[in-house]
């Protein structure tokens, strides 16, 4: 499997970004794709996830209502739209894949077997 993130950048508070996690069509169909973020010295934090069939999505409480995860079948990506960004959203965002589908384990880092390299998001106040 191969996962590649893109779309990070620097924005002011209140701005928006769209991150993409590119993978093969088979990978996106087979696995749940999760987005996590991490800042130096902190634990990797679950952000959102979407099951392979695209029928179920999960969000952390900190991003619910501001971030949206979706699948672009034409581009073979799972995208994360970030709206209403805050300085505390600044982090390296990474996508990963898991065979899990339930609402509990998709939020756990060790559930994921393969990770992309990440894309940096910086939000200034």
């Amino acid at each position: 499997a191969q996962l590649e993130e893109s779309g990070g950048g620097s924005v002011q508070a209140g701005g928006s970004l769209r991150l993409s996690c590119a993978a093969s069509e088979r990978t996106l169909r087979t696995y749940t794709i999760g987005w996590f973020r991490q800042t130096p010295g902190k634990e990797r934090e679950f952000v959102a996830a979407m099951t392979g069939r695209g029928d179920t999505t999960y969000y952390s409480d900190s991003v619910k209502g501001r971030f949206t995860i979706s699948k672009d079948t034409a581009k073979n990506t799972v995208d994360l739209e970030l709206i209403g960004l805050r300085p505390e959203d600044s982090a390296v965002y990474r996508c990963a894949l898991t065979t899990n589908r339930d609402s509990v384990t998709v939020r756990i880092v060790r559930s994921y077997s393969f990770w992309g390299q990440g894309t940096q998001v910086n939000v200034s106040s």
Side-chain angles (χ1 to χ4, degrees):
Q2 184 172 0
L3 302 174
E4 184 172 0
E5 303 92 338
S6 63
S10 298
V11 297
Q12 291 188 328
S16 61
L17 286 171
R18 189 176 188 91
L19 310 183
S20 292
C21 176
S24 71
E25 188 272 338
R26 179 179 181 276
T27 295
L28 297 182
R29 186 179 69 244
T30 304
Y31 296 96
T32 293
I33 301 297
W35 281 96
F36 288 76
R37 64 187 182 186
Q38 189 169 20
T39 55
K42 292 190 176 181
E43 297 287 325
R44 198 168 300 179
E45 177 191 12
F46 171 77
V47 175
M50 171 176 276
T51 58
R53 289 181 288 188
D55 55 347
T56 308
T57 57
Y58 302 102
Y59 296 93
S60 68
D61 289 342
S62 62
V63 307
K64 193 177 297 183
R66 299 188 299 124
F67 293 6
T68 303
I69 190 170
S70 61
K71 184 176 292 187
D72 188 328
T73 55
K75 296 180 180 179
N76 287 335
T77 60
V78 172
D79 297 339
L80 187 67
E81 185 174 19
L82 291 61
I83 296 175
L85 282 162
R86 305 165 180 168
E88 56 264 37
D89 294 319
S90 298
V92 174
Y93 284 71
R94 299 176 72 180
C95 62
L97 60 83
T98 178
T99 55
N100 295 8
R101 293 172 45 85
D102 66 276
S103 64
V104 174
T105 61
V106 298
R107 301 170 189 272
I108 302 173
V109 170
R110 65 176 183 270
S111 296
Y112 291 79
S113 57
F114 192 84
W115 295 79
Q117 292 299 307
T119 186
Q120 179 72 49
V121 171
N122 293 316
V123 185
S124 59
S125 57

